[in-house]
């Protein structure tokens, strides 16, 4: 290996094999309880929870450790309302034909439509931005690498952290998403990646049957 500065790995934890198996099983059971939810309560969620979850997301691996992401945590009713109005306008044209027949058919079992009341109702919207240029320091302007992969992993960490804190999420990707850059006043080197709606579920929240169908281990895995 090339010479480089490094510290000893001092926070790794090893578990006895039995415990490792039990932990992996428990983790699977925990993640299995995560569902994408579209019925949110307006019950407030402390900012500290959102901060901790974003900190957890920020530990994700990334290309050259450039951490090519920025999270805009939106609590302001005014900003949420602006996002709702613009997202619904785009979604209306999407559902009225822009999506095409095959896509609309694929969405039918989820029951989605152009109305997005949760964008104004949920206590937090987290807009995730990817950065084409940046670097290990926030003020850098170097090339970033594997941006999509890196931001995808960080988003996965964030979803997991929010779930583990006892909140529910919706991964929302209005198409196009450029309006989010304007509303959130993000610079030119950033692209809106996803909008994560988060909060408590409404009392009558439902999960579409379609979303409960998960491929089996055999279907998603090959052991060689
Ligand atoms: N963005 C739209 C449509 C939509 C697309 C996919 I792919 C989904 O899995 C769910 C919805 C909307 O939010 O309604």
């Amino acid at each position: 290996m090339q010479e480089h500065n490094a510290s000893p790995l001092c926070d790794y934890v090893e578990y006895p094999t039995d415990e490792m198996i039990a932990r992996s099983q428990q983790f699977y059971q925990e993640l299995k309880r995560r569902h994408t939810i579209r019925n949110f309560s307006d019950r407030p969620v402390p900012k500290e929870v959102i901060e901790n979850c974003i900190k957890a997301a920020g530990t994700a691996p990334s290309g050259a450790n450039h951490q090519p992401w920025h999270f805009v945590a939106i609590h302001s009713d005014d900003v949420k309302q602006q996002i709702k109005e613009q997202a619904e306008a785009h979604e209306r044209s999407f559902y009225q034909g822009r999506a095409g027949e095959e896509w609309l058919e694929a969405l039918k079992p989820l029951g989605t439509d152009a109305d997005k009341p949760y964008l104004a109702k949920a206590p937090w919207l987290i807009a995730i931005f990817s950065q084409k240029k940046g670097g290990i320091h926030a003020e850098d302007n170097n090339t970033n690498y594997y941006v999509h992969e890196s931001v995808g992993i960080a988003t996965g960490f964030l979803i997991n952290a929010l779930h583990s804190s006892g909140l529910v999420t919706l991964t929302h990707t209005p198409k196009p998403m450029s309006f989010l850059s304007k509303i959130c006043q993000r610079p030119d080197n950033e692209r809106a990646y996803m909008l994560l709606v988060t909060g408590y579920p409404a009392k009558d929240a439902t999960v579409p049957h379609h979303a409960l169908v998960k491929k089996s281990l055999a279907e998603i895995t090959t052991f060689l």
Side-chain angles (χ1 to χ4, degrees):
M1 208 181 225
Q2 294 284 330
E3 198 167 89
H4 63 290
N5 294 325
S7 304
L9 171 63
C10 54
D11 47 7
Y12 170 73
V13 181
E14 182 180 314
Y15 302 102
T17 307
D18 285 359
E19 197 179 333
M20 187 153 95
I21 292 169
R23 288 177 66 94
S24 61
Q25 174 64 16
Q26 280 160 15
F27 189 74
Y28 166 52
Q29 294 302 333
E30 269 303 301
L31 270 200
K32 228 174 109 163
R33 292 193 304 100
R34 184 213 59 83
H35 305 292
T36 292
I37 291 299
R38 293 183 176 80
N39 320 92
F40 283 83
S41 155
D42 58 3
R43 203 168 140 201
V45 166
K47 186 180 178 194
E48 196 179 344
V49 177
I50 304 300
E51 288 173 341
N52 288 336
C53 292
I54 293 174
K55 281 199 259 182
T59 68
S62 63
N65 193 31
H66 282 194
Q67 303 150 64
W69 42 65
H70 188 87
F71 302 90
V72 178
I74 301 150
H75 182 58
S76 150
D77 284 335
D78 173 51
V79 179
K80 284 194 284 184
Q81 188 58 35
Q82 284 181 49
I83 291 176
K84 176 180 181 287
E85 279 166 24
Q86 297 208 33
E88 284 181 334
H90 288 303
E91 296 291 358
R92 263 191 290 280
S93 78
F94 174 88
Y95 282 96
Q96 279 167 9
R98 187 163 46 84
E101 233 170 83
E102 186 182 357
W103 197 344
L104 291 180
E105 200 55 41
L107 292 179
K108 261 192 191 156
L110 295 175
T112 56
D113 59 26
D115 293 333
K116 308 292 176 197
Y118 44 76
L119 293 177
K121 192 165 185 198
W124 291 96
L125 306 180
I126 306 175
I128 303 163
F129 292 87
S130 64
Q131 300 172 327
K132 261 204 313 232
K133 293 226 146 206
I136 191 160
H137 304 292
E139 65 277 13
D140 289 347
N141 194 31
N142 304 317
T143 302
N144 284 335
Y145 306 97
Y146 300 103
V147 172
H148 234 72
E149 293 84 345
S150 304
V151 181
I153 298 168
T155 301
F157 276 32
L158 180 57
I159 293 168
N160 197 357
L162 291 162
H163 169 67
S164 172
S165 306
L167 298 172
V168 295
T169 54
L170 167 67
T171 42
H172 184 50
T173 46
K175 214 170 144 64
M177 269 195 291
S178 43
F179 72 91
L180 280 177
S181 304
K182 282 213 191 83
I183 294 178
C184 298
Q185 299 173 5
R186 297 313 302 162
D188 281 349
N189 66 320
E190 292 187 5
R191 291 280 163 278
Y193 180 82
M194 187 173 287
L195 187 63
L196 205 58
V197 185
T198 193
Y200 290 98
K203 289 249 169 344
D204 58 355
T206 58
V207 181
H209 290 168
H210 180 78
L212 293 171
V213 181
K214 298 296 179 194
K215 290 179 182 166
S216 69
L217 180 66
E219 287 170 314
I220 65 171
T221 315
T222 303
F223 286 99
L224 295 178

